[in-house]
């Protein structure tokens, strides 16, 4: 028994564009459908938890977390507007109503591709400037600056997604059967894979390596001049945790996205029809899974978020939450909040980064 499905042939097709008619076994299709539904549920649930805790806890309203929420919006586009189309196609129940409908789905897919990579790139760069240039960071990262960076990311992503509509394609979009035929030029596919993925990925890896090196050097300096316990060491540990959290998210992004983008580039040179049929669903599923992995990593690695969530759960169950005596109740910590740096690193920035 088999079911009709689709086979991607270029960048836009892998994101709900042109596909050639082929078949998958019903068991294979059901497995993909179950996986997609699981990704959607986990992603939406985790991001709802993040947004709720940031709303409840003002200490979580940091520059870094604003970029994380922007990343969540990009992931939400994938799980609410792109993946349901794939699920319906696998079930054989989806039909594009018009060329405009097809064009909209393709545009949203391309928009989310750029937005996820670029938002994660801004998160990495925010960590880099916070640790490498603490003085400039505190003067530069205002609310207006953050809003401008996020707005610039989405504006670029939108313009890049609209380029095929503006004429950067091989032929006009057509609807054949229940599929959407959208043939982009190879130059556009190369532009998107390099500009919206590989360049941001290189920036992310480079910035995280530099952050790790700087954090390691600061750790060695602090251990030599201060005791192994105390407020300064606590701040150092918090700084390490913040950098480690972003590095884990970036690492997960690369593991999930690199296979699919490599397959697209390789297929462009050897012919997409020469790529085995089962390769695309596997790499595409891996890329989609990043939308569920990102928020889960953030939830599990952020202590302040977990603490806030635990308090809300206890309160809803009628239990009295434990009173925390750390943070601002410590005079030494309060003094460190007012001091600018220790060993070239901003203490105020370190505290806010953990939030």
């Amino acid at each position: 028994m088999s079911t009709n499905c689709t086979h991607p042939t270029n960048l836009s097709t892998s994101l709900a564009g042109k596909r050639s008619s082929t078949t998958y076994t019903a068991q294979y299709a059901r497995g993909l459908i179950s996986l997609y539904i699981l990704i959607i549920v986990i992603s939406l649930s985790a991001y709802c938890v993040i947004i709720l805790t940031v709303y409840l806890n003002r200490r979580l309203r940091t520059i870094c977390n604003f970029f994380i929420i922007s990343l969540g919006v990009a992931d939400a586009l994938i799980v609410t507007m792109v993946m349901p189309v794939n699920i319906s196609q696998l079930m054989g129940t989806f039909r594009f109503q018009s060329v405009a409908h097809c064009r909209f789905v393709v545009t949203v897919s391309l928009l989310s591709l750029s937005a996820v990579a670029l938002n994660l790139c801004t998160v990495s760069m925010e960590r880099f400037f916070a640790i490498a240039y603490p003085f400039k960071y505190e003067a530069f990262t205002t609310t207006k600056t953050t809003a401008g960076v996020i707005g610039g990311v989405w504006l670029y992503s939108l313009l890049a997604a609209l380029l095929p509509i503006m004429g950067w394609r091989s032929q006009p979009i057509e609807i054949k059967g229940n599929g959407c035929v959208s043939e982009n030029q190879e130059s556009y596919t190369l532009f998107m894979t390099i500009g919206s993925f590989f360049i941001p990925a290189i920036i992310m890896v480079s910035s995280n390596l530099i952050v790790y090196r700087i954090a390691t050097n600061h750790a060695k300096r602090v251990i030599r001049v201060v005791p192994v316990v105390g407020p300064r060491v606590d701040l150092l540990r918090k700084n390490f945790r913040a950098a480690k959290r972003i590095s884990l998210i970036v690492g997960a992004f690369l593991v999930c996205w690199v296979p699919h983008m490599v397959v697209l580039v390789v297929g462009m040179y050897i012919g997409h029809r020469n790529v085995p049929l089962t390769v695309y669903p596997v790499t595409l599923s891996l890329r989609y899974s990043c939308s569920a992995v990102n928020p889960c990593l953030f939830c599990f690695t952020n202590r302040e978020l977990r603490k806030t969530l635990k308090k809300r759960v206890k309160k809803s169950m009628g239990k009295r939450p434990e009173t925390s005596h750390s943070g601002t109740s410590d005079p030494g910590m309060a003094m460190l909040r007012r001091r600018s740096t220790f060993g070239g690193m901003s203490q105020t920035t370190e505290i806010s980064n953990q939030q």
Side-chain angles (χ1 to χ4, degrees):
M1 182 178 179
S2 63
T3 181
N4 290 332
C5 194
T6 51
H7 188 190
T9 58
N10 62 20
L11 178 64
S12 68
T13 66
S14 68
L15 306 168
K18 177 183 174 184
R19 304 171 190 263
S20 58
S21 179
T22 185
T23 58
Y24 294 129
T25 64
Q27 184 178 6
Y28 188 77
R30 284 196 297 269
L32 287 176
I33 291 171
S34 300
L35 176 60
Y36 288 172
I37 292 175
L38 180 63
I39 291 172
I40 292 172
V41 172
I42 293 176
S43 179
L44 292 179
S45 300
Y47 274 120
C48 285
V49 169
I50 292 174
I51 293 173
L52 177 63
T53 51
V54 170
Y55 172 78
L56 294 173
N57 189 345
R58 297 182 63 88
R59 296 180 62 188
L60 287 170
R61 300 176 195 175
T62 62
I63 301 299
C64 182
N65 288 351
F66 287 146
F67 287 127
I68 292 290
I69 291 177
S70 180
L71 172 65
V73 174
D75 281 331
L77 286 178
I78 294 176
V79 300
T80 60
M81 305 187 73
V82 179
M83 293 184 66
V85 173
N86 293 114
I87 292 174
S88 298
Q89 288 178 327
L90 286 167
M91 296 174 64
T93 60
F94 184 85
R95 288 185 178 275
F96 288 98
Q97 302 301 317
S98 63
V99 172
H101 184 200
C102 171
R103 185 180 295 116
F104 174 77
V105 173
V106 173
T107 301
V108 170
S109 301
L110 294 171
L111 170 65
S112 62
L113 184 150
S114 298
V116 168
L118 294 177
N119 273 297
L120 195 50
C121 185
T122 59
V123 173
S124 298
M125 293 306 297
E126 188 271 343
R127 288 295 82 209
F128 169 76
F129 283 112
I131 294 178
Y133 304 100
F135 295 112
K136 295 181 180 180
Y137 172 85
E138 293 184 5
F140 181 75
T141 52
T142 63
T143 303
K144 290 183 179 180
T145 303
T146 303
V149 172
I150 293 175
V153 165
W154 283 97
L155 179 60
Y156 171 85
S157 301
L158 180 60
L159 291 176
L162 291 175
L163 287 176
I165 297 178
M166 298 176 183
W168 201 352
R169 66 170 62 257
S170 298
Q171 61 184 25
I173 293 179
E174 297 178 352
I175 296 179
K176 291 185 178 180
N178 64 345
C180 178
V181 179
S182 174
E183 186 70 31
N184 290 329
Q185 294 182 13
E186 289 187 354
S187 57
Y188 176 76
T189 301
L190 198 60
F191 164 76
M192 287 294 289
T193 52
I194 294 177
S196 295
F197 176 75
F198 285 111
I199 290 179
I202 292 173
I203 293 174
M204 283 184 265
V205 172
S206 301
S207 61
N208 276 274
L209 288 176
I210 295 174
V211 165
Y212 177 78
R213 186 184 65 183
I214 293 174
T216 302
N217 290 338
H218 277 295
K220 293 177 180 179
R221 291 168 59 186
V222 169
I223 291 174
R224 285 199 301 264
V225 299
V226 300
V228 295
V229 294
R232 287 195 175 100
V233 175
D234 290 338
L235 289 172
L236 180 64
R237 290 171 180 167
K238 290 179 180 181
N239 213 25
F240 263 119
R241 286 196 293 266
K244 182 180 179 181
R245 179 168 62 249
I246 302 305
S247 297
L248 286 174
I249 295 176
V250 170
F253 169 79
L254 295 176
V255 170
C256 292
W257 279 66
V258 167
H260 187 67
M261 304 306 292
V262 169
V263 167
L264 288 176
V265 174
V266 171
M268 184 175 63
Y269 287 101
I270 69 173
H272 292 277
R273 295 179 185 276
N274 295 326
V275 178
L277 176 64
T278 55
V279 170
Y280 282 104
V282 172
T283 58
L284 187 61
S285 300
L286 188 61
R287 203 201 83 191
Y288 285 160
S289 67
C290 189
S291 298
V293 172
N294 285 339
C296 289
L297 281 177
F298 186 75
C299 288
F300 292 141
T301 59
N302 191 301
R303 289 190 176 184
E304 186 67 30
L305 189 147
R306 295 200 310 269
K307 187 187 300 183
T308 302
L309 184 61
K310 188 182 297 184
K311 286 181 179 180
R312 299 303 301 182
V313 171
K314 288 183 177 180
K315 186 174 181 180
S316 63
M317 297 175 63
K319 296 182 179 179
R320 188 173 181 177
E322 297 178 2
T323 303
S324 175
H325 297 286
S326 61
T328 57
S329 61
D330 186 349
M333 186 70 71
M335 179 64 71
L336 285 174
R337 288 177 182 269
R338 293 192 292 271
R339 292 180 180 177
S340 58
T341 64
F342 174 78
M345 183 180 297
S346 170
Q347 303 299 337
T348 304
T349 300
E350 291 179 39
I351 297 175
S352 64
N353 289 345
Q354 174 58 19
Q355 299 169 4

